[in-house]
Amino acid sequence: MWLNPEEVLLKNALKLWVTERSNDFFLLQRRRGHGESTGRITGLLVGALDTVLDSNARVTPFRILLQVPGSQISWVIASGAAIEEVNKHWDWLVHNLLHSLSVFEKKEDVASFVKGKVKGLIAEEVRGRQAAQEEDPEKFREALMKFELRFGLPSSEKLVTYYSCCCWKGRVPRQGFLYLSINHMAFYSFLLGKEVKFVIPWAEVTRLERVSTGLMTEAIRVNTRQRQREFSMFLNLDEAFGVIGQLADIALRRLLDSEGLELDRVLQQPARITKRILEEQALREYVLALFRLPRGERLHEVASCSVWTPHARCHTAGTLYTTDSYLCFSSREEGSCILLIPLSEVLSIEKAESTSPLPNPVIVSLRTKKAFQLIELQDRDELVERLNTRLKALQWKQSMFRSKKERSMSSPTPYYTFYYDTGLSDEEELEEQVLRNTVNSEALMTAFHQNQPGTNGNKSMEQVKERLWEDHFLEFGRGVHMFRTDKIQRLVSMGIPESLRGELWMTFSDASSELESHQGYYASLVQKSMGQSSLATEEIERDLHRSLPDHPAFQNPTGIAALRRVLTAYAHRNPKIGYCQSMNILASVLLLYAKEEEAFWLLVAVCERMLPDYFNRRVIGAQVDQSVFEELIRERLPELAEHVPDLSSLSSVSLSWFLTLFLSVLPFHSAVCVVDCFFFHGIKAIFQLGLAVLEANAAQLCASIDDGQALMILTSFLDQVGSKESSSPPSSPRSAEESCSSDTDIPAVGHTNITNLINESYEKFGDLTVRRIERLRCRHRILVLQAHEDTTKENALRLVTPDVSIPPEILADVYDLFKTEHFISLYWGDSSSAAAAEAAAWSYGDSGRSYMERQYRLDRPQFKSLYGLLVPWPGGSNQHTDTVANRTFTLLDQDRDNLVTFREFAGWLDTLYCEELNEKIRLLYGLHIPPALTESEDDPALMKSPLLSTNRPLCVNLPSGVKGEVKDYQEQLKQMLQDLAKEKEKDVEKPLPLMNQWEFIQFCKTLYSMFHGDPEENDLFQAIATVTSLVLQIGEAGHRGHSSGSEVTGQEEVKGAQPAQETAEDGAGAGDGSSAVEKEWTVSYAQILASLLTEQALVNFFEKPVDLSAKLAEAKEKQYHQRAGLLTLQQRSR
């Protein structure tokens, strides 16, 4: 294969290579010992060397070298494991390059030409490998070349797919191609001599919509913060819309919230994303949501088949999905028949004899002596083989776990006993004794019942429901692998009997499989987590007594202790989530109906699978579902949407519905019925019920005059939703007197039965599918993330605006440029700098700054890029400018973390564009003294005196034994500290240290570099020459004055008095580090400023106004192309 050219100093070092073919410019060599017929000693020695030293050469025993006549340096340009492969490359070089090389006069040109050709061949191979993954490799290869040529983006900007379409500009369509890459969407059109070309980063996309107008049948509208564009006339608009939504969603999750949201491992590596992977990922997300599987499950096979359903006495057609740990079946009509089989329950998977009525049958046998028959499976043999391979691996893993568990069970330590520090009051001692007991082995509801009127009626109703469920189990099966059909939906809507509730919650969520495969995990978590203190545990303790405070179970130390253990154990298991409000309400309800360990695994299922991203630090998942809910209201309840144009108020009211599954707004027994539906149908049940509640109150909501009244209407309605268990009017946290007397404008609401409400939601909105919800979530996540980004920007600007004079609208543009620079490095930068900046941006340990200040920060290369774009004076391309940019970064990086915040960056720009002349000179002065100026710059030999700190040393090399002198210095230090304290009290700015002669020379070099290219260049050069001469004379005069003063005084007086004289004059003296006899040549900031003010040309230069907004617009145009070109060069040079 072709290799990136690599230098080889000795073409045949130690005679390790044998030349097989050669000419004037190329050598084909074979590794000695490879392919030789006899085992000669040299071959054996080389083989040993390969094993120890050169594993690379051992793998590829043939290579081609580029050699230039008369040079000792060669370059490896190709290698291979077989002679045939290397011969192909050799023939290509001979036929295509060899005759062309003789025309070059310089040998350096020959090397550059060949290396460029080889890199081009490598790029072509990369394109070929990428194209080979597509349906039409040749067309994709051609599109990839056009994409790179037309938009000039680096080769690391991977093209995913492309579509032929129209982009509308007003009423004019422009036919062209839409290219979709991992970070951008780009459009190109060339029609009738007019070119249209633009690039939109996914990070700027705020909304995606499908629209329809009179001119366009249907179009995709892409909104950014600046404008919107519409694309139509796709051959397959559904596919294009899906891919655009996916790429935007993935990019935003990766760039805007890299830690807050879960992102699949494949998608975290953008270079691996292809159209096929996107399709697979969309299907995987759908399967995980439909069957509510763990987020780490990978989808393996998808096959059409039919399953024998005993209750229907026929085969039901559908699709089989296989993952790491599950066999999943769904009928063609989503939800009418679902089957979930954990592989841990499977005993064997076998092929049966194929017959005409039963083609390609497969029998799946379970440990419970049940079996399922699948027929009409395509590629049955291969599928069964792969499934059996995974099954054997899983069974081996389980056997190892069981043997390990048996060994650990021999320990004499009690399995579920936990101990805590004592020393409590009598009342707390009682609770402590409860905590010492074993983890609750029964649900809390068995010991603590709420006293409800009409208990006998409740018992009879419970018995009826229990009999119905027992009959259902006989017909449809029991456990995780039961058939889930419409009939079970009707039973669930009636409310699950209390005796079966915990079991069925575990079954529907498949938390039972997690519990079975993690025996002892919860106990070990409790042992590790209890007694530890953290922010999560503090919040848990604060909320423990707010969780269902009216229920007897949580008015008792037993219930509180169990709730504490479950929440603390989960926070320890998943520190990324830790603890989030509303988790306490969910956990308390789970503890009522399930054993403590089961409640823990149910909480895991809810937080990590059934409500993904709900309980992260910004509850993104819940906000996404609120946005989806708004769209569903517009779609399903158009009259309500018409009368209430701003649906955000309704969605904000419904936030608690989603976060607590209606537990915080419905009477307890009614809310638990909703939780039943949630465990059976997932989030779909909450969407349906929310729509049913709004529809039931639509007339009153349309007539409401403000948000407050709408809130009261919904609160009053939900308070009155009762269940068959409570024969009397239901109790709720808000008393009946409140609801009747608080607002006479709201009409009295009749009691609504929760079962009827749930059935209504299924009848009217049951056609809402999981697939539809997942697609809506993908699009609305873009809206929510961008809304958070807008809030972040507003907060960052609010923090910085008081400190600068830049107008707010221009400061907003500066922020956008700053953020884009950060993103560009994440797009194409080398992984080291980009990863460092990204990791720093999301670090939480930096308590010195607010979250908003830490949002985006730039490292040194990123800052230098913006420096070149925004510096107000000409001469930005010379080498000294790069040096000044480095110094500026060092000066701004006040906390020495090698990152610059937006506040620091804005302050620097404000000084350059908005401050007075003296502040600009102060900034330039600061760039030429430590810490901005370091010894390693330019010629270190010029720096004879060390630069120790910004506060130049006050005392240097005092002779030992002179007590009076030491005392004098101690007094001076005390006086200096007092003066500093006074200055701090008066808020007086700290004086700048003095500048020595070498530093002043660097200062002059910077001024000279700034004037290059200015229209008044000659006048400025003459002025700076005059100022330089004047300052040098001032410094020399001061230097001579101190020298003559030292000649008059005695030698001992000089040693003691001179440092005091320096302190009195300078405030911060500077010595040469070796002797205090002679005062170093120095000038002050005030002297330099006064000298500069004597030259009007310099004053005019620094006071000349520069339009920052125009500079920003120019920088925005150049930013992408400049950085893209630079990064491309860096990649090619590797």
Side-chain angles (χ1 to χ4, degrees), residues 51-103:
T51 305
V52 177
L53 300 173
D54 193 1
S55 60
N56 225 4
R58 177 164 49 86
V59 175
T60 55
F62 298 97
R63 70 179 185 181
I64 298 176
L65 298 182
L66 164 66
Q67 62 175 1
V68 178
S71 173
Q72 292 298 313
I73 298 175
S74 299
W75 292 268
V76 181
I77 59 173
S79 67
I83 188 64
E84 294 81 11
E85 180 186 2
V86 180
N87 276 335
K88 286 182 183 177
H89 292 340
W90 178 269
D91 293 340
W92 189 91
L93 291 169
V94 170
H95 291 105
N96 293 280
L97 287 189
L98 191 58
H99 300 297
S100 307
L101 300 182
S102 57
V103 302

Side-chain angles (χ1 to χ4, degrees), residues 318-533:
T319 307
L320 176 71
Y321 305 95
T322 69
T323 70
D324 293 332
S325 309
Y326 293 90
L327 299 178
C328 313
F329 173 82
S330 176
S331 57
R332 287 175 182 169
E333 183 183 348
E334 183 185 289
S336 65
C337 181
I338 285 179
L339 179 63
L340 182 66
I341 306 174
L343 279 179
S344 57
E345 296 286 321
V346 174
L347 194 62
S348 65
I349 302 173
E350 300 170 316
K351 295 177 286 186
E353 185 179 350
S354 183
T355 63
S356 55
L358 299 174
N360 297 331
V362 171
I363 307 299
V364 179
S365 304
L366 306 186
R367 299 182 188 281
T368 55
K369 297 183 179 179
K370 286 186 65 175
F372 295 94
Q373 183 189 71
L374 290 74
I375 63 170
E376 298 174 344
L377 277 163
Q378 299 293 328
D379 301 322
R380 177 184 66 159
D381 296 348
E382 187 179 347
L383 174 64
V384 170
E385 185 181 348
R386 287 200 293 261
L387 285 174
N388 275 317
T389 302
R390 288 205 294 277
L391 180 61
K392 286 175 185 175
L394 185 64
Q395 289 171 344
W396 177 83
K397 194 175 177 182
Q398 286 175 332
S399 65
M400 294 296 292
F401 177 78
R402 276 195 294 269
S403 61
K404 186 177 178 182
K405 180 186 166 188
E406 286 166 6
R407 288 195 300 271
S408 65
M409 288 295 285
S410 61
S411 169
T413 307
Y415 180 57
Y416 268 160
T417 304
F418 310 105
Y419 297 90
Y420 306 93
D421 293 335
T422 54
L424 307 173
S425 64
D426 293 340
E427 184 179 345
E428 291 171 322
E429 192 73 39
L430 176 63
E431 182 178 349
E432 189 62 24
Q433 289 174 3
V434 175
L435 294 178
R436 288 172 184 268
N437 294 332
T438 60
V439 166
N440 296 337
S441 58
E442 296 295 333
L444 293 178
M445 189 62 84
T446 58
F448 302 98
H449 278 281
Q450 262 185 315
N451 295 322
Q452 290 283 338
T455 309
N456 294 332
N458 289 347
K459 284 184 179 178
S460 61
M461 178 61 71
E462 286 286 300
Q463 290 170 358
V464 169
K465 289 196 289 188
E466 285 172 8
R467 283 198 301 272
L468 289 172
W469 275 100
E470 291 297 336
D471 294 341
H472 186 274
F473 292 149
L474 289 173
E475 187 177 359
F476 293 86
R478 187 167 191 165
V480 176
H481 39 72
M482 71 165 68
F483 286 99
R484 306 179 192 193
T485 63
D486 296 337
K487 186 174 179 182
I488 203 171
Q489 173 188 307
R490 291 193 291 274
L491 286 175
V492 169
S493 64
M494 292 168 59
I496 298 174
E498 287 186 1
S499 59
L500 296 173
R501 187 164 268 146
E503 176 194 338
L504 288 171
W505 285 358
M506 293 289 288
T507 295
F508 294 151
S509 65
D510 193 37
S512 54
S513 295
E514 293 281 302
L515 173 60
E516 180 65 28
S517 60
H518 294 84
Q519 291 289 336
Y521 175 77
Y522 174 66
S524 65
L525 266 187
V526 173
Q527 285 180 324
K528 291 175 186 174
S529 61
M530 296 304 286
Q532 293 187 5
S533 180

Side-chain angles (χ1 to χ4, degrees), residues 683-841:
I683 197 65
K684 170 186 170 181
I686 307 300
F687 278 116
Q688 290 174 179
L689 189 61
L691 291 170
V693 168
L694 293 181
E695 190 200 39
N697 296 275
Q700 294 181 51
L701 290 172
C702 290
S704 63
I705 55 175
D706 56 26
D707 296 346
Q709 189 177 3
L711 174 61
M712 290 300 296
I713 290 167
L714 292 173
T715 303
S716 178
F717 173 81
L718 292 169
D719 280 346
Q720 303 305 318
V721 175
S723 63
K724 291 180 181 178
E725 280 81 353
S726 53
S727 56
S728 66
S731 61
S732 72
R734 294 159 296 280
S735 64
E737 293 96 29
E738 276 183 34
S739 60
C740 292
S741 61
S742 61
D743 197 338
T744 56
D745 294 337
I746 300 172
V749 179
H751 299 316
T752 304
N753 186 275
I754 186 63
T755 302
N756 295 337
L757 188 62
I758 290 172
N759 284 332
E760 231 174 87
S761 73
Y762 278 110
E763 288 170 12
K764 295 182 177 177
F765 308 108
D767 58 337
L768 179 64
T769 63
V770 173
R771 192 184 296 275
R772 168 88 171 131
I773 290 172
E774 287 304 303
R775 286 176 177 170
L776 288 173
R777 278 176 165 177
C778 181
R779 283 201 291 116
H780 285 269
R781 196 179 291 111
I782 297 168
L783 283 171
V784 171
L785 288 175
Q786 291 290 21
H788 274 278
E789 191 64 16
D790 290 340
T791 303
T792 300
K793 179 179 177 179
E794 289 169 9
N795 291 334
L797 294 178
R798 188 167 61 246
L799 282 171
V800 174
T801 300
D803 300 336
V804 297
S805 304
I806 301 173
E809 61 276 6
I810 296 179
L811 191 62
D813 292 337
V814 174
Y815 180 91
D816 291 338
L817 200 73
F818 188 86
K819 183 178 79 172
T820 301
E821 186 62 35
H822 174 79
F823 283 164
I824 286 175
S825 284
L826 294 181
Y827 295 158
W828 312 312
D830 60 338
S831 57
S832 57
S833 64
E838 180 69 1

